[in-house]
Amino acid sequence: CSSSPTIGLISDTDYVETLSLMVGLLEQDRPRHRGHSAQLARQAGIVGQRMGMPHKELAALSIAAYLHDLGKPPERHYSLASNAANPEWKAQAKACCRAPTKLFETVHLPAQVNTILAQLYEAWDGSGTPQGAKGEDITLGARILAAVDSFLELTKNPGNAFGRVFTKQQALEHLKKHAGVLYDPVVADIVGQLQSGALLVHRLASEGRQVLIAEPD
């Protein structure tokens, strides 16, 4: 097996960029989810880098982010947050969670991608679906996608299981409250830092740059 970061003769970067274009076009007809997969891939990638994931795992994370909604009912977007709030949604998510994998079964996706997609709705405490996996038995990529996907679902999609869009602060409080329950505590903390701007402030400060923070008032 070659250590070169390629899928066949196509580089990981080209593969991911192709998925970005294709999925972006598909999402154009879904106003509530337009650009969602690209946001998910980008933000999950930042979290993955922060957690020291190697290149091939980061590539698998991005691929899973772009594929995670394909083949699922377009009228509803499932996430760990929404599934936990509505048992009916959780049951429906269980029934369709493997849809992307089945849709791409002839493509021979990397094993890591299939695992991430299969475990996207698993919860840290074992209350998720479809297998009830818990803790570190859930692959890291799935734990990252679950937390980022839930944050985006809460702050961007009025059709979530709560029936309303959360403010960023409310979504951050959700992550904090459910860290160690729905979400990997370390992942939830890093997602919180990313979304609050703390990671950017820390990076700029570590580079010796001055940081100006403007309050809305």
Side-chain angles (χ1 to χ4, degrees):
C1 178
S2 172
S3 60
S4 176
T6 59
I7 299 174
L9 298 177
I10 304 174
S11 71
D12 285 349
T13 300
D14 289 339
Y15 194 77
V16 170
E17 286 301 316
T18 300
L19 284 176
S20 175
L21 290 170
M22 293 176 63
V23 174
L25 290 172
L26 290 173
E27 289 180 341
Q28 286 298 312
D29 294 331
R30 303 176 65 190
R32 291 180 176 179
H33 306 101
R34 194 170 295 155
H36 168 71
S37 295
Q39 283 187 307
L40 179 60
R42 180 177 60 82
Q43 295 184 21
I46 295 172
V47 176
Q49 290 176 346
R50 186 73 177 179
M51 298 190 74
M53 294 179 76
H55 171 80
K56 290 193 75 65
E57 291 185 21
L58 287 171
L61 182 64
S62 291
I63 292 169
Y66 282 113
L67 298 183
H68 80 290
D69 276 342
L70 298 184
K72 297 177 183 177
E75 67 275 3
R76 183 166 292 171
H77 180 267
Y78 303 103
S79 69
L80 193 52
S82 282
N83 295 349
N86 189 314
E88 181 182 346
W89 285 36
K90 179 180 175 181
Q92 293 170 353
K94 181 177 182 178
C96 70
C97 66
R98 296 187 184 276
T101 302
K102 291 179 180 178
L103 193 63
F104 281 79
E105 62 185 353
T106 60
V107 180
H108 304 297
L109 294 171
Q112 289 172 310
V113 175
N114 290 328
T115 302
I116 292 171
L117 292 172
Q119 295 186 326
L120 179 58
Y121 304 131
E122 299 287 7
W124 182 258
D125 67 353
S127 63
T129 193
Q131 299 295 329
K134 63 188 298 185
E136 294 187 357
D137 288 338
I138 306 167
T139 191
L140 177 58
R143 286 180 265 149
I144 292 173
L145 277 196
V148 178
D149 193 32
S150 289
F151 181 87
L152 293 174
E153 170 84 341
L154 293 174
T155 56
K156 304 289 186 181
N157 181 19
N160 61 48
F162 299 89
R164 62 184 177 89
V165 171
F166 283 38
T167 64
K168 178 179 284 190
Q169 187 56 43
Q170 288 171 333
L172 291 174
E173 289 172 359
H174 166 87
L175 289 179
K176 185 175 181 179
K177 177 181 178 181
H178 295 285
V181 181
L182 297 178
Y183 312 110
D184 177 335
V186 176
V187 172
D189 181 60
I190 294 176
V191 174
Q193 291 180 50
L194 170 64
Q195 298 297 345
S196 67
L199 283 183
L200 177 61
V201 171
H202 176 75
R203 181 171 66 82
L204 293 175
S206 68
E207 294 173 354
R209 302 184 188 185
Q210 292 186 331
V211 180
L212 175 64
I213 301 177
E215 295 290 344
D217 295 335

